[in-house]
Amino acid sequence: GCAALVWAANPRLGPNGVEDLLLDTAHTGGDARVSRWADCYGAVLAALGGDAPPFLRIVRPLDGAEFTRGAVSVPLVAELEDEGSPTVVWTSSRDGEVGRGTSTGVFDLSIGVHTLTASTRDSAGFRVSDSVEIRVIAAAPRLSIIAPAPGLRAARGDRLLLLGTSFDPSDLEDRGLEDREVAWYLDGDEAPIAGGHEATLPPFSLAV
């Protein structure tokens, strides 16, 4: 097993070279029965020229976490150990690169399932990465009726103004619903009586 790891670290080594590294890096000082035993980690480092790859682990977000788009920032926090200062790059399987650094955040991930990957490459050329999967869901929109006012009394035959506003936290550009996404209903009716943020009903004849 150690020989396979050493050979994978440096395929240019022949069988004798692998054996020499295992012998040169072996632990010493055991008891009378075992005076030396293999140091796989030391042998692999020697095969790599003495340079250890960086250690990288995603701390946040947790694998399987769920976030509401527009409500909170998704934390991107990684633990990095390396002799140098390589840059950590965060990418999403849906949105591409979304951040840099060991501690940052992203507010505008698209709705859906993302595989978030943190990766780094050190000065020796070693590249390591870690990934988690998260889900981003849409926030429920909020609507307010401006007109008619609560308790309005309308005479039969009057035209009735319907006026409302909407706010969609998941829409980070204009934060509003489109007119085609807004409909007006009377209690108990399956079909809308009007659509859009502003509408005027024909001469009012509804008994409500």
Side-chain angles (χ1 to χ4, degrees):
C2 289
L5 292 172
V6 170
W7 216 336
N10 189 347
R12 295 187 299 273
L13 291 172
N16 292 335
V18 173
E19 183 181 18
D20 289 342
L21 278 181
L22 290 174
L23 293 173
D24 292 342
T25 59
H27 294 291
T28 59
D31 57 29
R33 292 171 299 176
V34 181
S35 59
R36 304 182 72 194
W37 64 99
D39 178 359
C40 294
Y41 182 72
V44 170
L45 283 184
L48 293 171
D51 293 321
F55 171 80
L56 179 66
R57 179 176 66 92
I58 293 178
V59 179
R60 297 178 65 193
L62 299 178
D63 191 49
E66 184 174 275
F67 298 89
T68 301
R69 176 178 165 87
V72 294
S73 176
V74 177
L76 304 177
V77 182
E79 180 183 355
L80 174 64
E81 294 180 7
D82 189 74
E83 294 181 356
S85 300
T87 300
V88 176
V89 179
W90 296 83
T91 56
S92 159
S93 57
R94 295 178 60 91
D95 299 339
E97 184 176 328
V98 294
R100 289 180 174 242
T102 55
S103 182
T104 182
V106 58
F107 194 74
D108 57 350
L109 291 178
S110 60
I111 295 172
V113 176
H114 296 253
T115 299
L116 292 177
T117 300
S119 61
T120 190
R121 185 187 299 273
D122 68 5
S123 58
F126 295 119
R127 183 183 184 277
V128 294
S129 63
D130 191 22
S131 297
V132 295
E133 185 176 280
I134 68 167
R135 180 183 298 273
V136 178
I137 62 174
R142 298 193 290 270
L143 297 100
S144 299
I145 295 178
I146 299 175
L152 174 71
R153 298 175 65 87
R156 189 180 184 89
D158 285 352
R159 289 182 176 273
L160 190 63
L161 173 65
L162 304 178
L163 183 62
T165 62
S166 65
F167 175 75
D168 184 2
S170 297
D171 185 350
L172 303 182
E173 295 181 1
D174 58 25
R175 298 280 187 163
L177 296 173
E178 297 182 11
D179 277 343
R180 61 180 176 82
E181 297 174 306
V182 177
W184 298 80
Y185 293 83
L186 289 176
D187 286 345
D189 290 351
E190 294 184 0
I193 58 173
H197 290 85
E198 182 176 350
T200 303
L201 293 181
F204 192 60
S205 61
L206 299 173
V208 295

